[in-house]
Amino acid sequence: MDLEDPLLVIVDAANVVGSVPDGWWRDRKGAAERLRDRLGSEGLPGRPSPVEIVLVVEGAARGVESVPGVRVESAPGSGDDRIVELVAEAPGRPCLVITADRELRGRVAELGAEVTGPRAVLGGRP
């Protein structure tokens, strides 16, 4: 991996937040902000820096702002479609997509991305 091209980590916010039944559905934007803040302060557990983290939000979570260490992308439509676009826009670059969505996993794997589930972000904690 080139230092010019750090690992691009794309996080499916809706899928990761939705993997923990902590009441996220009452405040989708707040749940996405908590995930963003965790990623901003802790990075991606088990992955050394540098990494570029992109958090893709959709629906009621749109409007979450970026913070140092985490770029937030508000999908104009489907978050899954925006994630696929981001992978496609980075040909040849190492890319990791974090989601449990089977269909999305297949779509990004076809483009060469590595895929892992929400535990990569959440570890053992909600």
mmCIF file of all heavy atoms in Angstrom, residues 63-101:
data_model
loop_
_atom_site.group_PDB
_atom_site.id
_atom_site.type_symbol
_atom_site.label_atom_id
_atom_site.label_comp_id
_atom_site.label_asym_id
_atom_site.label_seq_id
_atom_site.Cartn_x
_atom_site.Cartn_y
_atom_site.Cartn_z
ATOM 1 N N GLY A 63 -27.235 14.974 6.668
ATOM 2 C CA GLY A 63 -26.930 16.247 7.326
ATOM 3 C C GLY A 63 -25.913 16.101 8.443
ATOM 4 O O GLY A 63 -25.499 17.096 9.027
ATOM 5 N N VAL A 64 -25.478 14.885 8.751
ATOM 6 C CA VAL A 64 -24.408 14.703 9.730
ATOM 7 C C VAL A 64 -23.147 15.320 9.129
ATOM 8 O O VAL A 64 -22.828 15.087 7.967
ATOM 9 C CB VAL A 64 -24.204 13.200 10.048
ATOM 10 C CG1 VAL A 64 -22.957 12.975 10.878
ATOM 11 C CG2 VAL A 64 -25.428 12.646 10.748
ATOM 12 N N GLU A 65 -22.451 16.113 9.920
ATOM 13 C CA GLU A 65 -21.259 16.816 9.439
ATOM 14 C C GLU A 65 -20.012 15.952 9.574
ATOM 15 O O GLU A 65 -19.926 15.101 10.457
ATOM 16 C CB GLU A 65 -21.058 18.102 10.249
ATOM 17 C CG GLU A 65 -22.199 19.099 10.134
ATOM 18 C CD GLU A 65 -22.318 19.709 8.751
ATOM 19 O OE1 GLU A 65 -21.273 19.915 8.093
ATOM 20 O OE2 GLU A 65 -23.463 19.978 8.323
ATOM 21 N N SER A 66 -19.022 16.223 8.729
ATOM 22 C CA SER A 66 -17.727 15.569 8.838
ATOM 23 C C SER A 66 -16.982 16.100 10.057
ATOM 24 O O SER A 66 -17.260 17.210 10.524
ATOM 25 C CB SER A 66 -16.889 15.843 7.584
ATOM 26 O OG SER A 66 -17.490 15.271 6.442
ATOM 27 N N VAL A 67 -16.057 15.314 10.579
ATOM 28 C CA VAL A 67 -15.180 15.715 11.677
ATOM 29 C C VAL A 67 -13.765 15.300 11.292
ATOM 30 O O VAL A 67 -13.585 14.486 10.381
ATOM 31 C CB VAL A 67 -15.582 15.065 13.026
ATOM 32 C CG1 VAL A 67 -16.981 15.508 13.463
ATOM 33 C CG2 VAL A 67 -15.489 13.549 12.969
ATOM 34 N N PRO A 68 -12.752 15.821 11.970
ATOM 35 C CA PRO A 68 -11.398 15.386 11.650
ATOM 36 C C PRO A 68 -11.284 13.855 11.738
ATOM 37 O O PRO A 68 -11.706 13.250 12.714
ATOM 38 C CB PRO A 68 -10.539 16.064 12.725
ATOM 39 C CG PRO A 68 -11.316 17.306 13.071
ATOM 40 C CD PRO A 68 -12.765 16.875 12.997
ATOM 41 N N GLY A 69 -10.788 13.265 10.671
ATOM 42 C CA GLY A 69 -10.610 11.820 10.628
ATOM 43 C C GLY A 69 -11.765 11.058 10.017
ATOM 44 O O GLY A 69 -11.626 9.866 9.708
ATOM 45 N N VAL A 70 -12.914 11.707 9.830
ATOM 46 C CA VAL A 70 -14.073 11.023 9.243
ATOM 47 C C VAL A 70 -14.787 11.976 8.284
ATOM 48 O O VAL A 70 -15.302 13.011 8.691
ATOM 49 C CB VAL A 70 -15.085 10.544 10.312
ATOM 50 C CG1 VAL A 70 -16.254 9.815 9.649
ATOM 51 C CG2 VAL A 70 -14.417 9.656 11.345
ATOM 52 N N ARG A 71 -14.793 11.594 7.007
ATOM 53 C CA ARG A 71 -15.566 12.346 6.020
ATOM 54 C C ARG A 71 -16.945 11.713 5.953
ATOM 55 O O ARG A 71 -17.081 10.501 5.818
ATOM 56 C CB ARG A 71 -14.885 12.267 4.657
ATOM 57 C CG ARG A 71 -15.581 13.113 3.605
ATOM 58 C CD ARG A 71 -14.825 13.102 2.296
ATOM 59 N NE ARG A 71 -15.373 12.083 1.418
ATOM 60 C CZ ARG A 71 -14.658 11.240 0.699
ATOM 61 N NH1 ARG A 71 -13.353 11.232 0.762
ATOM 62 N NH2 ARG A 71 -15.259 10.365 -0.094
ATOM 63 N N VAL A 72 -17.973 12.526 6.059
ATOM 64 C CA VAL A 72 -19.343 12.025 5.988
ATOM 65 C C VAL A 72 -19.913 12.345 4.614
ATOM 66 O O VAL A 72 -19.836 13.478 4.146
ATOM 67 C CB VAL A 72 -20.232 12.634 7.099
ATOM 68 C CG1 VAL A 72 -21.664 12.123 6.976
ATOM 69 C CG2 VAL A 72 -19.660 12.317 8.472
ATOM 70 N N GLU A 73 -20.474 11.324 3.991
ATOM 71 C CA GLU A 73 -21.138 11.465 2.694
ATOM 72 C C GLU A 73 -22.622 11.237 2.904
ATOM 73 O O GLU A 73 -23.027 10.150 3.344
ATOM 74 C CB GLU A 73 -20.612 10.409 1.712
ATOM 75 C CG GLU A 73 -19.214 10.626 1.235
ATOM 76 C CD GLU A 73 -19.159 11.402 -0.069
ATOM 77 O OE1 GLU A 73 -20.158 11.428 -0.813
ATOM 78 O OE2 GLU A 73 -18.107 11.982 -0.328
ATOM 79 N N SER A 74 -23.441 12.236 2.616
ATOM 80 C CA SER A 74 -24.896 12.076 2.675
ATOM 81 C C SER A 74 -25.371 11.593 1.318
ATOM 82 O O SER A 74 -25.292 12.331 0.335
ATOM 83 C CB SER A 74 -25.564 13.406 3.030
ATOM 84 O OG SER A 74 -25.310 13.743 4.369
ATOM 85 N N ALA A 75 -25.829 10.350 1.268
ATOM 86 C CA ALA A 75 -26.290 9.775 0.005
ATOM 87 C C ALA A 75 -27.570 10.484 -0.421
ATOM 88 O O ALA A 75 -28.502 10.596 0.371
ATOM 89 C CB ALA A 75 -26.542 8.288 0.167
ATOM 90 N N PRO A 76 -27.635 10.950 -1.672
ATOM 91 C CA PRO A 76 -28.849 11.611 -2.138
ATOM 92 C C PRO A 76 -30.012 10.637 -2.279
ATOM 93 O O PRO A 76 -31.162 11.027 -2.202
ATOM 94 C CB PRO A 76 -28.441 12.192 -3.497
ATOM 95 C CG PRO A 76 -27.257 11.401 -3.919
ATOM 96 C CD PRO A 76 -26.579 10.915 -2.673
ATOM 97 N N GLY A 77 -29.699 9.368 -2.462
ATOM 98 C CA GLY A 77 -30.722 8.328 -2.583
ATOM 99 C C GLY A 77 -30.320 7.170 -1.692
ATOM 100 O O GLY A 77 -30.192 7.310 -0.484
ATOM 101 N N SER A 78 -30.061 6.041 -2.326
ATOM 102 C CA SER A 78 -29.670 4.836 -1.604
ATOM 103 C C SER A 78 -28.235 4.927 -1.087
ATOM 104 O O SER A 78 -27.309 5.233 -1.849
ATOM 105 C CB SER A 78 -29.792 3.634 -2.547
ATOM 106 O OG SER A 78 -29.012 2.552 -2.105
ATOM 107 N N GLY A 79 -28.056 4.650 0.185
ATOM 108 C CA GLY A 79 -26.716 4.608 0.746
ATOM 109 C C GLY A 79 -25.881 3.523 0.090
ATOM 110 O O GLY A 79 -24.687 3.715 -0.166
ATOM 111 N N ASP A 80 -26.510 2.394 -0.208
ATOM 112 C CA ASP A 80 -25.791 1.297 -0.862
ATOM 113 C C ASP A 80 -25.244 1.746 -2.212
ATOM 114 O O ASP A 80 -24.091 1.451 -2.555
ATOM 115 C CB ASP A 80 -26.700 0.088 -1.061
ATOM 116 C CG ASP A 80 -27.049 -0.613 0.239
ATOM 117 O OD1 ASP A 80 -26.636 -0.136 1.321
ATOM 118 O OD2 ASP A 80 -27.751 -1.635 0.172
ATOM 119 N N ASP A 81 -26.059 2.447 -2.988
ATOM 120 C CA ASP A 81 -25.611 2.914 -4.301
ATOM 121 C C ASP A 81 -24.436 3.883 -4.159
ATOM 122 O O ASP A 81 -23.486 3.836 -4.944
ATOM 123 C CB ASP A 81 -26.744 3.581 -5.072
ATOM 124 C CG ASP A 81 -27.795 2.576 -5.549
ATOM 125 O OD1 ASP A 81 -27.541 1.353 -5.521
ATOM 126 O OD2 ASP A 81 -28.890 3.036 -5.940
ATOM 127 N N ARG A 82 -24.482 4.757 -3.166
ATOM 128 C CA ARG A 82 -23.377 5.709 -2.968
ATOM 129 C C ARG A 82 -22.099 4.968 -2.564
ATOM 130 O O ARG A 82 -21.008 5.323 -3.008
ATOM 131 C CB ARG A 82 -23.752 6.759 -1.917
ATOM 132 C CG ARG A 82 -22.681 7.799 -1.720
ATOM 133 C CD ARG A 82 -22.434 8.613 -3.008
ATOM 134 N NE ARG A 82 -21.286 9.496 -2.856
ATOM 135 C CZ ARG A 82 -20.309 9.607 -3.759
ATOM 136 N NH1 ARG A 82 -20.352 8.926 -4.884
ATOM 137 N NH2 ARG A 82 -19.291 10.415 -3.546
ATOM 138 N N ILE A 83 -22.229 3.935 -1.742
ATOM 139 C CA ILE A 83 -21.060 3.151 -1.340
ATOM 140 C C ILE A 83 -20.431 2.489 -2.565
ATOM 141 O O ILE A 83 -19.204 2.524 -2.745
ATOM 142 C CB ILE A 83 -21.450 2.122 -0.266
ATOM 143 C CG1 ILE A 83 -21.774 2.856 1.047
ATOM 144 C CG2 ILE A 83 -20.338 1.085 -0.064
ATOM 145 C CD1 ILE A 83 -22.455 2.007 2.098
ATOM 146 N N VAL A 84 -21.258 1.909 -3.431
ATOM 147 C CA VAL A 84 -20.748 1.286 -4.658
ATOM 148 C C VAL A 84 -20.038 2.338 -5.518
ATOM 149 O O VAL A 84 -18.959 2.079 -6.067
ATOM 150 C CB VAL A 84 -21.882 0.581 -5.434
ATOM 151 C CG1 VAL A 84 -21.417 0.125 -6.811
ATOM 152 C CG2 VAL A 84 -22.411 -0.600 -4.625
ATOM 153 N N GLU A 85 -20.619 3.526 -5.628
ATOM 154 C CA GLU A 85 -19.987 4.598 -6.405
ATOM 155 C C GLU A 85 -18.627 4.960 -5.833
ATOM 156 O O GLU A 85 -17.655 5.165 -6.580
ATOM 157 C CB GLU A 85 -20.866 5.854 -6.407
ATOM 158 C CG GLU A 85 -22.121 5.735 -7.232
ATOM 159 C CD GLU A 85 -23.074 6.911 -7.017
ATOM 160 O OE1 GLU A 85 -22.752 7.844 -6.246
ATOM 161 O OE2 GLU A 85 -24.160 6.888 -7.621
ATOM 162 N N LEU A 86 -18.525 5.069 -4.509
ATOM 163 C CA LEU A 86 -17.251 5.426 -3.879
ATOM 164 C C LEU A 86 -16.174 4.376 -4.162
ATOM 165 O O LEU A 86 -15.018 4.720 -4.429
ATOM 166 C CB LEU A 86 -17.425 5.609 -2.370
ATOM 167 C CG LEU A 86 -18.195 6.855 -1.947
ATOM 168 C CD1 LEU A 86 -18.577 6.769 -0.470
ATOM 169 C CD2 LEU A 86 -17.373 8.117 -2.218
ATOM 170 N N VAL A 87 -16.559 3.108 -4.105
ATOM 171 C CA VAL A 87 -15.600 2.046 -4.424
ATOM 172 C C VAL A 87 -15.187 2.149 -5.887
ATOM 173 O O VAL A 87 -14.002 2.069 -6.218
ATOM 174 C CB VAL A 87 -16.177 0.651 -4.103
ATOM 175 C CG1 VAL A 87 -15.256 -0.454 -4.611
ATOM 176 C CG2 VAL A 87 -16.413 0.501 -2.605
ATOM 177 N N ALA A 88 -16.160 2.357 -6.775
ATOM 178 C CA ALA A 88 -15.878 2.445 -8.210
ATOM 179 C C ALA A 88 -14.998 3.646 -8.538
ATOM 180 O O ALA A 88 -14.219 3.609 -9.498
ATOM 181 C CB ALA A 88 -17.183 2.509 -8.997
ATOM 182 N N GLU A 89 -15.089 4.705 -7.745
ATOM 183 C CA GLU A 89 -14.288 5.920 -7.967
ATOM 184 C C GLU A 89 -12.844 5.755 -7.501
ATOM 185 O O GLU A 89 -12.045 6.664 -7.686
ATOM 186 C CB GLU A 89 -14.924 7.114 -7.245
ATOM 187 C CG GLU A 89 -16.240 7.561 -7.848
ATOM 188 C CD GLU A 89 -17.001 8.544 -6.959
ATOM 189 O OE1 GLU A 89 -16.493 8.947 -5.901
ATOM 190 O OE2 GLU A 89 -18.135 8.897 -7.343
ATOM 191 N N ALA A 90 -12.510 4.612 -6.889
ATOM 192 C CA ALA A 90 -11.165 4.405 -6.352
ATOM 193 C C ALA A 90 -10.528 3.135 -6.922
ATOM 194 O O ALA A 90 -10.075 2.273 -6.169
ATOM 195 C CB ALA A 90 -11.242 4.342 -4.826
ATOM 196 N N PRO A 91 -10.491 2.995 -8.251
ATOM 197 C CA PRO A 91 -9.955 1.755 -8.823
ATOM 198 C C PRO A 91 -8.483 1.576 -8.446
ATOM 199 O O PRO A 91 -7.705 2.524 -8.463
ATOM 200 C CB PRO A 91 -10.122 1.959 -10.329
ATOM 201 C CG PRO A 91 -10.145 3.431 -10.524
ATOM 202 C CD PRO A 91 -10.791 3.990 -9.270
ATOM 203 N N GLY A 92 -8.142 0.362 -8.068
ATOM 204 C CA GLY A 92 -6.758 0.058 -7.726
ATOM 205 C C GLY A 92 -6.351 0.460 -6.321
ATOM 206 O O GLY A 92 -5.288 0.095 -5.859
ATOM 207 N N ARG A 93 -7.189 1.209 -5.655
ATOM 208 C CA ARG A 93 -6.879 1.643 -4.296
ATOM 209 C C ARG A 93 -7.376 0.601 -3.301
ATOM 210 O O ARG A 93 -8.479 0.069 -3.474
ATOM 211 C CB ARG A 93 -7.568 2.983 -4.021
ATOM 212 C CG ARG A 93 -7.270 3.516 -2.646
ATOM 213 C CD ARG A 93 -7.807 4.898 -2.457
ATOM 214 N NE ARG A 93 -7.509 5.353 -1.115
ATOM 215 C CZ ARG A 93 -7.960 6.471 -0.594
ATOM 216 N NH1 ARG A 93 -8.724 7.274 -1.316
ATOM 217 N NH2 ARG A 93 -7.650 6.809 0.635
ATOM 218 N N PRO A 94 -6.594 0.319 -2.258
ATOM 219 C CA PRO A 94 -7.109 -0.621 -1.258
ATOM 220 C C PRO A 94 -8.356 -0.047 -0.593
ATOM 221 O O PRO A 94 -8.385 1.118 -0.189
ATOM 222 C CB PRO A 94 -5.962 -0.775 -0.262
ATOM 223 C CG PRO A 94 -5.009 0.329 -0.539
ATOM 224 C CD PRO A 94 -5.278 0.830 -1.931
ATOM 225 N N CYS A 95 -9.400 -0.869 -0.526
ATOM 226 C CA CYS A 95 -10.693 -0.385 -0.059
ATOM 227 C C CYS A 95 -11.340 -1.449 0.819
ATOM 228 O O CYS A 95 -11.351 -2.630 0.473
ATOM 229 C CB CYS A 95 -11.559 -0.101 -1.284
ATOM 230 S SG CYS A 95 -13.112 0.693 -0.919
ATOM 231 N N LEU A 96 -11.879 -1.014 1.957
ATOM 232 C CA LEU A 96 -12.581 -1.892 2.884
ATOM 233 C C LEU A 96 -13.968 -1.308 3.120
ATOM 234 O O LEU A 96 -14.092 -0.143 3.509
ATOM 235 C CB LEU A 96 -11.823 -1.982 4.213
ATOM 236 C CG LEU A 96 -12.525 -2.717 5.356
ATOM 237 C CD1 LEU A 96 -12.680 -4.203 5.018
ATOM 238 C CD2 LEU A 96 -11.747 -2.537 6.655
ATOM 239 N N VAL A 97 -14.998 -2.107 2.885
ATOM 240 C CA VAL A 97 -16.374 -1.684 3.125
ATOM 241 C C VAL A 97 -16.883 -2.423 4.354
ATOM 242 O O VAL A 97 -16.743 -3.640 4.462
ATOM 243 C CB VAL A 97 -17.280 -1.962 1.905
ATOM 244 C CG1 VAL A 97 -18.735 -1.636 2.219
ATOM 245 C CG2 VAL A 97 -16.795 -1.168 0.696
ATOM 246 N N ILE A 98 -17.472 -1.659 5.272
ATOM 247 C CA ILE A 98 -18.004 -2.247 6.499
ATOM 248 C C ILE A 98 -19.522 -2.245 6.428
ATOM 249 O O ILE A 98 -20.154 -1.190 6.472
ATOM 250 C CB ILE A 98 -17.491 -1.487 7.735
ATOM 251 C CG1 ILE A 98 -15.967 -1.558 7.757
ATOM 252 C CG2 ILE A 98 -18.103 -2.071 9.007
ATOM 253 C CD1 ILE A 98 -15.315 -0.759 8.844
ATOM 254 N N THR A 99 -20.080 -3.452 6.294
ATOM 255 C CA THR A 99 -21.525 -3.642 6.198
ATOM 256 C C THR A 99 -21.842 -5.113 6.431
ATOM 257 O O THR A 99 -20.988 -5.968 6.229
ATOM 258 C CB THR A 99 -22.071 -3.211 4.820
ATOM 259 O OG1 THR A 99 -23.499 -3.285 4.838
ATOM 260 C CG2 THR A 99 -21.521 -4.062 3.692
ATOM 261 N N ALA A 100 -23.062 -5.388 6.827
ATOM 262 C CA ALA A 100 -23.529 -6.766 6.918
ATOM 263 C C ALA A 100 -24.520 -7.074 5.799
ATOM 264 O O ALA A 100 -25.017 -8.186 5.692
ATOM 265 C CB ALA A 100 -24.195 -7.014 8.276
ATOM 266 N N ASP A 101 -24.806 -6.087 4.972
ATOM 267 C CA ASP A 101 -25.776 -6.224 3.887
ATOM 268 C C ASP A 101 -25.209 -7.151 2.804
ATOM 269 O O ASP A 101 -24.232 -6.805 2.143
ATOM 270 C CB ASP A 101 -26.062 -4.834 3.322
ATOM 271 C CG ASP A 101 -27.081 -4.836 2.210
ATOM 272 O OD1 ASP A 101 -26.854 -5.544 1.200
ATOM 273 O OD2 ASP A 101 -28.087 -4.120 2.332
#
